[in-house]
Amino acid sequence: MNDFSTQLGGRGLYIQTGPFCVHLQSSIATVADGITQLYSEYPSFKEKDFADFHIHLDTVAGIRRLIRPQVQFSFDGYIPFKPLPLDQAFPMFEWGLNWCVANNIHEYLIIHAAVIEKNGVAAILPAPPGSGKSTLCAALVNRGWRLFSDELAMFCLRTRMLVPLPRPVNLKNNSINLIKNYAPEAIFGREVSDTNKGTVAHMKAPTESILRAAEAALPSWIIMPRYQEGAKPVLESRPKAQTCMDLAQNSFNYSLLAEDGFLAISELIDKCDCYDFTYSQLDDAIKIFDDLELPQ
Amino acid sequence: MSNQSDLLATCISRPEQLCQLSLKEWDFLIRQARRVSLLPRIAYLAHETGCYQTLPASVVMHLSSAWRVADKQAKVVRFEISNIEKALKQLKSPVVLLKGAAYVAADLPPAKGRIFSDIDFMVPKSDLEMVERYMIRHGWMATHHDEYDQRYYRQWMHELPPMKHTGRGTVVDIHHAILPETARLHPDSEKLLDNIQRVTGYENIYTLSNIDIVLHSATHLFHDGELENGLRDLVDLDALLRHFGEEQKFWDELVERAAELELGRPLYYSLKYCSLVLNTPVPDVVTKAAEALGKPPAVISHLMDTSFKRALKPDHSTCDDGFTPLARWLLYIRSHYLRMPLYLLIPHLLRKALKKHKTEAPLAAIPEIEKP
């Protein structure tokens, strides 16, 4: 099973995730474990001519290593972040890869949002941290929706479609057990405590999402989820103008894309029905999502 | 392709090579170019050669992404030049753009696919305080609040502490000379200001003369910088020399002007390494004259050669040999040595080292995705 660790510690492993090929090198055991648990179903290669991102995760050298070992994320020799405690190596890979995509890929309008799909049409769930976006996304993809991403909505400027980047779903604190109970069959990586986001764990993307990673979808709904304890599920129409501003604000490269960014967001807003969604029970949420009507 | 550490330089001097690269070579090229801020330049060259459409999709994705970044930056730079002109409209003296901002404003060849970190301009030293006040009034604020940093810039450097716009975040460097007051060479700012040329479309925005643009670029790379973007700066120089060099008059006056401004040494290095690394065409008589004016004694020349040849390669794992770290360290020390006398330099470097140590406490910054 653990054939990845030799490869990762040596010449590295090439993993295809969505449109990107990631070349990962790391001798850290928890990274190899995370990759083995969560990436075994992705196309992977021992050798490849081209990779989009060359990533190293290594322990930081120096005396501190003996007392408080740390991990450093390197994007092909460039160090974008301060080191983190060694225990957080795998989450750091996931966060760092998000950073690589959001900062270097501009053939897509990229929005900080979860995206899920059913029957060829997709919902975009942009939301600030703490709104329960990842939790809701994890629940939906365990009940028949296909995972595109829990973090990065990618709207292709060429094909005008949403493109999947199905990677492990990052869950925090109470959400971890909530989803473990809600979907006992879901596979989880190791829980890592005391990160800046509290305790985090990654849930493996459902097999079907991984296998169908090349299938894009049309955007149909933009839904701003908000978890509120004890609330009844309410799906309310949301002004398009306001949603347009919110999407722009949650986009990583809207301003960089200039006119193309504006046209892309306008198109998303035109094509999609926009909603606010308040909920407290996941089952209520699933029902409402399954009953969504296609935009006219 | 001959040697992977020469891949980037080869593709820049002979862009038609881009049409024949294997996927593996593209992998190396994209990584090296990204490291030295030349990826958008490669995108531009691939476009010019006409082979862009035939490239593999994954290559195109990275090239066009990089191109978008450079394109956006050029727009921002043009916008900020107008803002600077507005902010300084009461200024009687000229505002002279330097480096990247000058290339963009005057539409010079190095502007195509160039990455910026800030906007540089020069004003007469006597107007510096007034310029600073106008800039503050229009939303730019000093970035270095530390008392020592303030003194470092104001007393010793050739520029004010960088100013950042509070709303838009753009950074401007306001110079009164092209080298620090404490530096070993003293190109006379008044002589530079005597030959400036107005940029079409602006009232009070200027660039240096063509020759002085080249000499400033040369000085920046070979007398002032730490060469972290060495190859990118050499590519700027190469593009300038090829462009201005179409006129014989440029070559006729280049060396003499360098002598007048005390910039013979940087000019000599520039011509040498441009032709060595990027095959820049330089007339023999100019090469010889620059040698006579600026070639250092043999021992130094040899040491510099060993160092520059390494430091002018991309700072990337695919380009380093065993001596690269030493070469970069030597050039780092050299850049500081040239910048100020030892009695100022040693306390300064000590202070820098201590300060760095202080902030290096185990900060667990969230590696959340950075918003641009």
Side-chain angles (χ1 to χ4, degrees):
Chain A
M1 176 81 172
N2 216 337
D3 149 57
F4 285 151
S5 66
T6 349
Q7 189 67 27
L8 286 166
R11 300 173 65 88
L13 186 70
Y14 293 80
I15 305 167
Q16 186 73 35
T17 161
F20 309 121
C21 178
V22 180
H23 177 211
L24 174 63
Q25 284 178 289
S26 177
S27 316
I28 298 171
T30 54
V31 173
D33 291 347
I35 296 293
T36 308
Q37 284 170 317
L38 305 174
Y39 281 90
S40 59
E41 293 174 343
Y42 293 72
S44 67
F45 313 87
K46 291 186 168 171
E47 205 46 72
K48 226 162 183 236
D49 283 345
F50 188 92
D52 294 287
F53 306 112
H54 296 263
I55 293 170
H56 282 254
L57 281 153
D58 291 306
T59 41
V60 182
I63 299 180
R64 193 189 277 150
R65 185 167 47 168
L66 302 174
I67 322 159
R68 191 162 33 179
Q70 289 185 302
V71 53
Q72 181 163 275
F73 180 94
S74 153
F75 170 39
D76 199 19
Y78 174 71
I79 316 283
F81 319 113
K82 299 232 162 64
L84 289 179
L86 183 60
D87 196 42
Q88 301 180 24
F90 184 76
M92 193 179 206
F93 164 67
E94 291 292 338
W95 295 329
L97 182 52
N98 285 342
W99 178 90
C100 288
V101 173
N103 280 278
N104 292 288
I105 302 297
H106 305 301
E107 284 307 274
Y108 304 87
L109 172 73
I110 304 184
I111 301 164
H112 190 200
V115 180
I116 46 161
E117 175 265 6
K118 208 175 202 181
N119 303 324
V121 286
I124 302 172
L125 280 54
S131 56
K133 151 180 75 85
S134 288
T135 319
L136 181 57
C137 172
L140 286 160
V141 301
N142 279 297
R143 293 289 189 275
W145 288 74
R146 178 158 71 105
L147 174 69
F148 268 41
S149 171
D150 76 318
E151 287 277 4
L152 302 175
M154 304 206 305
F155 182 64
C156 181
L157 299 174
R158 205 164 29 85
T159 62
R160 318 308 276 185
M161 304 270 276
L162 286 165
V163 172
L165 182 60
R167 304 227 318 274
V169 177
N170 184 7
L171 293 168
K172 287 163 259 188
N173 304 317
N174 299 337
S175 299
I176 301 169
N177 277 330
L178 187 71
I179 295 297
K180 278 185 175 172
N181 292 330
Y182 191 71
E185 69 285 2
I187 295 169
F188 274 79
R190 199 170 63 93
E191 285 183 26
V192 179
S193 47
D194 296 325
T195 76
N196 279 59
K197 307 173 183 194
T199 300
V200 299
H202 283 87
M203 183 194 84
K204 189 182 81 64
T207 307
E208 200 201 346
S209 311
I210 298 171
L211 296 178
R212 293 173 59 196
E215 287 176 41
L218 288 169
S220 290
W221 306 284
I222 298 166
I223 303 172
M224 302 275 196
R226 195 161 65 89
Y227 171 83
Q228 200 187 329
E229 207 176 306
K232 288 211 171 68
V234 182
L235 186 73
E236 269 180 319
S237 195
R238 189 170 206 285
K240 289 207 166 196
Q242 183 57 45
T243 310
C244 183
M245 299 301 286
D246 291 336
L247 277 196
Q249 208 155 50
N250 278 293
S251 168
F252 295 103
N253 57 1
Y254 169 70
S255 146
L256 189 146
L257 295 175
E259 194 186 350
D260 287 343
F262 177 74
L263 292 175
I265 284 204
S266 312
E267 188 176 325
L268 283 176
I269 294 292
D270 281 345
K271 281 187 178 165
C272 291
D273 282 348
C274 305
Y275 298 103
D276 276 314
F277 176 52
T278 316
Y279 74 102
S280 61
Q281 300 299 316
L282 290 173
D283 276 331
D284 297 341
I286 306 289
K287 170 111 184 42
I288 288 199
F289 271 72
D290 284 346
D291 291 345
L292 282 170
E293 280 177 29
L294 282 177
Q296 294 302 310
Chain B
M1 189 93 4
S2 55
N3 181 341
Q4 74 185 31
S5 76
D6 294 329
L7 183 62
L8 181 53
T10 310
C11 290
I12 284 171
S13 59
R14 283 183 291 140
E16 66 280 2
Q17 295 273 337
L18 292 172
C19 309
Q20 293 152 25
L21 295 185
S22 68
L23 199 54
K24 180 123 201 128
E25 286 167 328
W26 271 113
D27 184 274
F28 283 137
L29 183 66
I30 288 175
R31 295 162 67 187
Q32 295 174 2
R34 191 184 326 265
R35 174 52 53 79
V36 284
S37 308
L38 281 169
L39 194 51
R41 183 78 182 173
I42 293 292
Y44 164 73
L45 294 173
H47 219 276
E48 288 294 286
T49 56
C51 66
Y52 203 75
Q53 303 306 324
T54 66
L55 299 176
S58 44
V59 170
V60 170
M61 179 171 71
H62 290 278
L63 293 187
S64 57
S65 296
W67 178 255
R68 283 179 187 276
V69 174
D71 189 48
K72 169 71 181 180
Q73 289 198 338
K75 282 183 189 138
V76 169
V77 169
R78 275 188 219 107
F79 178 62
E80 290 300 352
I81 293 172
S82 303
N83 289 327
I84 291 166
E85 182 170 47
K86 251 180 255 160
L88 300 179
K89 67 172 184 289
Q90 282 162 302
L91 193 72
K92 298 284 185 294
S93 50
V95 175
V96 185
L97 298 175
L98 302 173
K99 296 190 261 187
Y103 309 153
V104 166
D107 205 13
L108 293 171
K112 303 277 192 287
R114 196 178 190 278
I115 298 275
F116 290 82
S117 51
D118 46 24
I119 296 168
D120 300 83
F121 67 86
M122 181 164 101
V123 292
K125 193 175 178 189
S126 51
D127 288 344
L128 212 51
E129 264 180 51
M130 203 193 322
V131 167
E132 192 178 12
R133 275 205 304 276
Y134 287 139
M135 293 297 281
I136 291 171
R137 223 173 280 170
H138 285 80
W140 277 278
M141 296 295 282
T143 49
H144 291 57
H145 301 293
D146 182 301
E147 205 176 297
Y148 175 80
D149 285 342
Q150 285 286 335
R151 204 176 42 164
Y152 170 78
Y153 276 101
R154 287 173 198 278
Q155 199 168 337
W156 297 332
M157 286 297 108
H158 50 310
E159 59 196 341
L160 292 173
M163 298 184 89
K164 189 172 184 173
H165 194 274
T166 43
R168 302 187 296 272
T170 41
V171 176
V172 295
D173 273 348
I174 306 174
H175 303 240
H176 59 79
I178 60 172
L179 279 178
E181 306 254 30
T182 51
R184 265 142 235 270
L185 302 180
H186 303 96
D188 186 343
S189 295
E190 274 183 35
K191 285 182 187 163
L192 292 169
L193 292 173
D194 283 345
N195 284 8
I196 53 176
Q197 43 191 343
R198 196 159 65 87
V199 181
T200 326
Y202 297 94
E203 292 287 316
N204 193 33
I205 296 286
Y206 291 77
T207 65
L208 299 172
S209 72
N210 294 351
I211 287 181
D212 293 351
I213 288 176
V214 170
L215 291 174
H216 178 223
S217 177
T219 306
H220 177 66
L221 174 56
F222 288 105
H223 196 84
D224 193 33
E226 292 160 18
L227 281 116
E228 69 274 33
N229 263 331
L231 186 59
R232 198 281 306 267
D233 294 346
L234 199 71
V235 168
D236 279 352
L237 262 173
D238 166 74
L240 291 170
L241 288 169
R242 285 175 197 266
H243 178 65
F244 295 139
E246 284 170 9
E247 266 189 59
Q248 186 53 40
K249 192 165 169 284
F250 169 80
W251 294 116
D252 291 345
E253 296 170 3
L254 179 63
V255 180
E256 198 184 318
R257 179 68 170 171
E260 193 184 346
L261 292 169
E262 295 180 45
L263 298 175
R265 182 70 51 91
L267 176 66
Y268 161 75
Y269 283 139
S270 301
L271 298 181
K272 174 169 177 182
Y273 292 105
C274 270
S275 50
L276 192 75
V277 179
L278 297 169
N279 283 317
T280 319
V282 180
D284 275 346
V285 28
V286 177
T287 308
K288 292 216 177 74
E291 249 181 58
L293 177 69
K295 188 171 179 180
V299 184
I300 296 182
S301 180
H302 201 75
L303 181 65
M304 284 297 117
D305 215 37
T306 320
S307 306
F308 280 139
K309 273 183 188 161
R310 289 179 172 81
L312 288 170
K313 291 192 168 168
D315 187 3
H316 187 267
S317 56
T318 56
C319 300
D320 292 357
D321 67 19
F323 292 105
T324 305
L326 179 63
R328 287 194 189 278
W329 183 78
L330 277 176
L331 289 170
Y332 174 78
I333 297 297
R334 171 184 177 267
S335 76
H336 279 88
Y337 169 77
L338 292 174
R339 186 176 277 209
M340 42 171 65
L342 285 178
Y343 73 90
L344 289 177
L345 175 61
I346 290 169
H348 175 65
L349 287 182
L350 268 175
R351 196 176 259 272
K352 257 178 92 168
L354 286 174
K355 204 166 148 196
K356 194 176 168 201
H357 203 73
K358 240 195 270 170
T359 51
E360 220 193 356
L363 287 163
I366 317 176
E368 286 260 31
I369 313 165
E370 260 172 38
K371 291 202 113 190

